[in-house]
Amino acid sequence: MSPDEYCQQKAVQSGSSFYYSFLFLPAERRRAITALYAFCREVDDTVDDATDAGIARNKLQWWRQEVQAMVKGTPSHPVMQALQPHMAPYSLDPKHLLAIIDGMEMDLDQTRYLDYPGLKRYCWHVASVVGILSASIFGATQPQTLQYAEKLGLAFQLTNIIRDVGEDARKGRIYLPVSELQQFNVTAADILNARHGENFEKLMAFQAERAKAIYAEAFALLPAADRRAQRPGLIMAAIYRTLLDEIERDGFHVLNQKISLTPIRKLWLAWKTYIRA
């Protein structure tokens, strides 16, 4: 199996919505974004699948060494071998790859965030940086496009947090800021024990409104000159915004279930967004 085939398999197996945005890219850019996505999956799985934090830290350190090896032209992992040829052509900064690894390690260091600024810092590492790298691969020509991508990445991660409240709680993690739980009179025990109530719904409605506002802020930043090139990000945004609407329409019943869109609906949204953009 070639490095590119390895990354393609990783992307397909994940079942992620991101895969649908890759379908409309030219072959070379599609290979680059698939390799980046595979890198993110590898380091994320290092933490999510870990039963021992010490082993997970050692593995993340190995990935840091792989980034440095890639810079020197000697990567050993197929994901890094696939990503290496695209670093210079798309102006990808290895420091951003290291920042993603640092974000994954944050999940080993803490399972709660006291306030939104703290959560936002985490989101920058695990999502906004990915947005910046992705926009560069798609073909950003304006500095403002990277600002759009950074903010869009934040919106995506906030949507993920809303969708995955129950799943994360079962792993002992609560990403909703402690200060906001207190604001809406929701306790950590309510989340961990899947107690859905009126206060929880109000808390989640607050989270959803903030995410929607950030989507709007991101769209406002995207320059017209780059809109066509950034269609993959807009496809992802259409899928994620629709998902957010579905979660809200369902009354934020996310503690005991994971709400998702069907593959055919994702494909329809991708095609519709591609045509409109």
Side-chain angles (χ1 to χ4, degrees):
M1 184 184 298
S2 71
D4 283 335
E5 288 170 342
Y6 179 94
C7 293
Q8 177 69 13
Q9 186 180 72
K10 194 80 176 175
V12 172
Q13 288 176 343
S14 73
S16 169
S17 298
F18 283 89
Y19 179 70
Y20 295 86
S21 69
F22 303 167
L23 299 176
F24 301 93
L25 281 168
E28 197 64 19
R29 294 186 191 275
R30 186 166 65 247
R31 282 193 289 271
I33 194 65
T34 302
L36 174 63
Y37 178 77
F39 168 79
C40 294
R41 281 260 51 90
E42 290 282 357
V43 294
D44 188 37
D45 290 347
T46 294
V47 173
D48 281 350
D49 297 343
T51 55
D52 183 289
I55 293 174
R57 289 183 198 280
N58 288 337
K59 288 183 177 180
L60 290 177
Q61 183 57 31
W62 183 88
W63 277 106
R64 291 188 181 95
Q65 292 168 359
E66 266 296 281
V67 171
Q68 298 301 336
M70 181 190 64
V71 171
K72 296 175 182 177
T74 58
S76 61
H77 196 282
V79 165
M80 305 311 292
Q81 292 170 353
L83 188 56
Q84 183 186 19
H86 306 292
M87 296 296 290
Y90 299 123
S91 302
L92 306 182
D93 190 340
K95 291 181 181 177
H96 282 148
L97 299 179
L98 294 173
I100 293 170
I101 297 173
D102 290 343
M104 302 306 174
E105 189 162 22
M106 289 173 72
D107 275 331
L108 301 174
D109 295 328
Q110 60 187 109
T111 57
R112 306 283 192 278
Y113 290 88
L114 292 178
D115 52 26
Y116 178 62
L119 176 63
K120 190 176 178 182
R121 175 175 169 268
Y122 167 77
C123 292
W124 184 86
H125 279 276
V126 300
S128 292
V129 170
V130 180
I132 293 168
L133 290 167
S134 299
S136 298
I137 291 171
F138 299 152
T141 65
Q142 310 292 320
Q144 199 171 334
T145 301
L146 299 183
Q147 297 172 25
Y148 140 84
E150 181 176 358
K151 196 167 284 285
L152 191 61
L154 171 61
F156 288 164
Q157 189 63 24
L158 293 178
T159 304
N160 281 337
I161 288 170
I162 292 168
R163 179 195 63 191
D164 296 339
V165 170
E167 182 178 319
D168 290 332
R170 287 186 286 278
K171 297 175 182 176
R173 300 175 188 162
I174 300 177
Y175 291 102
L176 303 174
V178 172
S179 62
E180 293 171 9
L181 265 67
Q182 294 172 341
Q183 179 183 342
F184 289 92
N185 198 27
V186 175
T187 66
D190 291 333
I191 304 292
L192 296 171
N193 293 300
R195 291 197 287 260
H196 182 103
E198 184 179 351
N199 288 346
F200 176 76
E201 290 183 13
K202 290 178 180 178
L203 167 66
M204 298 310 292
F206 176 82
Q207 305 297 320
E209 287 305 312
R210 176 165 56 205
K212 289 178 189 177
I214 294 171
Y215 278 112
E217 291 169 11
F219 297 148
L221 285 168
L222 178 59
D226 277 357
R227 184 173 178 83
R228 186 177 180 87
Q230 297 300 317
R231 282 184 295 191
L234 294 173
I235 287 171
M236 276 304 309
I239 293 172
Y240 265 66
R241 275 292 281 109
T242 301
L243 173 62
L244 187 58
D245 289 341
E246 285 297 316
I247 292 171
E248 187 171 24
R249 193 174 295 117
D250 190 62
F252 299 105
H253 287 277
V254 291
L255 291 172
N256 290 304
Q257 64 178 341
K258 185 171 182 175
I259 298 171
S260 61
L261 305 180
T262 63
I264 192 66
R265 191 172 183 189
K266 290 178 183 178
L267 190 59
W268 166 244
L269 287 167
W271 174 249
K272 184 170 68 171
T273 304
Y274 180 83
I275 295 300
R276 287 180 176 176

